[in-house]
Amino acid sequence: MTDERDTVVTALARSLERTHRRLGELETLVRQLAADVTSLSRSRPAPGDASIGAGDGGRESAGGGWLLADDREAALTGMADLVEWVEAVYLRYPDADLPSCWLWHPAVVEELWWLRGAHAAAYDDNAGSWQRIGDWHDRFRPGVVKRLRAAVGGCELVLHAPGGEQAGAPPLAPLAEAAADVADAWTTRRLLLEPTDSQLAAAEQHDRAQHRKAHR
């Protein structure tokens, strides 16, 4: 009886040892799979990433867009690609039009720059989807058309010539000189500054100019 009991105990001990060994192997495999998944998720473009570069199917970084472009060669290539895309895609839609001076409006270029990137990302073989294509058609493209028509629909290149309404220095942020004082007051006391008389006068001048611009 004792020998049989010892045999059973030995068999159970060996079985338990094999089970522990197998559990250790499975734990190692799970850790490896987790590492692989993490690596893949880091290398795959995020759902919102849109290509602004030269036709790489949505896999390039959007970077700083047109308004912050500072690489001359990249800007030249990007602009050439943008013009090609505008002619091949954007202007194919009946409601899409551009004024002759569209290149003289940085905001217009920026709108088309990101719209092209969103288009490339939506149709990308890896990251694209029918839902993203639908968003581009239903929301993104009509939104850009509407904004451009409202912003520059009545503009033309002659207005950018010297003496024209669009000529002159780039716009400046109103009351920018108060930015440091506002930041200091907010971060130290969670208060907003009381505007000074000179700031109120500058604000009134700016607001009147904005009002005239809006009602031309």
Side-chain angles (χ1 to χ4, degrees), residues 49-53 58-64:
D49 285 349
S51 170
I52 307 299
R59 288 182 289 276
E60 292 184 7
S61 169

Side-chain angles (χ1 to χ4, degrees), residues 162-180:
E165 294 180 3
Q166 297 290 343
L172 300 176
L175 279 76
E177 65 277 3

Side-chain angles (χ1 to χ4, degrees), residues 122-123 129-140 142:
Y123 282 93
S129 68
W130 287 112
Q131 180 178 354
R132 296 180 71 175
I133 293 171
D135 283 341
W136 191 89
H137 282 276
D138 290 342
R139 298 193 298 118
F140 298 161

Side-chain angles (χ1 to χ4, degrees), residues 3-213:
D3 292 341
E4 292 180 359
R5 189 180 297 117
D6 290 343
T7 300
V8 171
V9 170
T10 300
L12 288 174
R14 289 175 178 174
S15 178
L16 183 61
E17 182 181 357
R18 288 195 298 271
T19 300
H20 280 301
R21 188 184 308 115
R22 182 56 180 162
L23 286 174
E25 294 173 353
L26 289 174
E27 184 178 358
T28 301
L29 179 60
V30 168
R31 284 199 297 267
Q32 183 61 49
L33 287 173
D36 291 343
V37 169
T38 300
S39 177
L40 287 172
S41 66
R42 289 174 177 172
S43 62
R44 180 186 176 93
D49 285 349
S51 170
I52 307 299
D56 194 18
R59 288 182 289 276
E60 292 184 7
S61 169
W66 175 249
L67 294 178
L68 295 179
D70 57 4
D71 185 320
R72 180 179 179 276
E73 294 303 320
L76 290 173
T77 301
M79 184 61 80
D81 290 336
L82 179 64
V83 170
E84 180 180 355
W85 179 85
V86 164
E87 294 177 347
V89 178
Y90 184 76
L91 292 178
R92 295 288 181 173
Y93 291 85
D95 61 340
D97 49 34
L98 288 174
S100 59
C101 57
W102 72 278
L103 286 170
W104 278 257
H105 290 273
V108 172
V109 176
E110 179 77 3
E111 288 269 16
L112 295 171
W113 197 274
W114 82 258
L115 186 64
R116 175 186 175 272
H119 181 266
Y123 282 93
D124 180 66
D125 290 339
N126 296 319
S129 68
W130 287 112
Q131 180 178 354
R132 296 180 71 175
I133 293 171
D135 283 341
W136 191 89
H137 282 276
D138 290 342
R139 298 193 298 118
F140 298 161
R141 191 198 68 81
V144 169
V145 170
K146 182 179 179 180
R147 287 193 296 274
L148 296 193
R149 183 175 292 126
V152 298
C155 196
E156 53 189 359
L157 189 58
V158 68
L159 299 179
H160 294 263
E165 294 180 3
Q166 297 290 343
L172 300 176
L175 279 76
E177 65 277 3
D181 292 335
V182 169
D184 178 68
W186 182 252
T187 55
T188 57
R189 303 186 299 279
R190 279 296 183 270
L191 296 174
L192 293 177
L193 291 178
E194 290 187 6
T196 64
D197 291 341
S198 61
Q199 289 171 344
L200 288 171
E204 182 178 4
Q205 182 178 4
H206 170 78
D207 294 342
R208 285 181 177 177
Q210 291 293 102
H211 181 76
R212 289 194 299 271
K213 180 179 177 181

